[in-house]
Amino acid sequence: LLPRLSRALDRYLAFVDEHDAGFSALLQGGSVVETSRTTAIVDGVRRAAAEHIYRHLEVTEPGPRLRMTVRMWITAVEASSLIWLDEEKQPPAEELRDWLVEQFVAMLSVTARRDPQSDALVQALAEDV
């Protein structure tokens, strides 16, 4: 999972880098850009990203804590991307990617303390490293 997540983040960050102004405008909204259609598109992308993560985790029915953790991480990735753009794309994309993967593992590890489903995933990730 972690190498796949790294590759997906590489593609995502390359897109953010290439389309920085449009990406910022879309996620930050505003009277010119934000419409019910653009909001629906952004929400659809978020749902699709979560589904991809569940599929890679081989989870068909994520519980509430796992769903919340994945959604929070996606939010953190979006916020980090906007800050990265604001910070003149520093740190380098590769460092940001690695940090975001580590954040995913950290968030999942904390959730695992209260959620058996997440705990099983953390154990599987540990075996995969």
Side-chain angles (χ1 to χ4, degrees), residues 49-122:
E51 289 302 319
H52 283 295
I53 292 169
Y54 302 139
R55 202 168 25 257
H56 287 304
L57 290 171
E58 298 178 356
V59 172
T60 55
E61 294 185 34
R65 286 190 174 97
L66 179 58
R67 282 194 312 271
M68 189 177 295
T69 300
V70 168
R71 289 175 62 191
M72 287 172 37
W73 181 75
I74 291 168
T75 300
V77 169
E78 288 178 359
S80 298
S81 300
L82 290 171
I83 295 166
W84 181 65
L85 292 175
D86 194 48
E87 294 288 332
E88 300 180 13
K89 300 177 184 174
Q90 290 300 314
E94 298 79 19
E95 289 180 33
L96 178 59
R97 175 210 55 218
D98 291 346
W99 181 73
L100 290 169
V101 170
E102 291 166 359
Q103 289 295 314
F104 179 76
V105 173
M107 290 175 75
L108 193 59
S109 297
V110 169
T111 303
R113 295 178 58 209
R114 298 178 181 267
D115 180 43
Q117 183 180 43
S118 298
D119 185 51
L121 292 170
V122 168

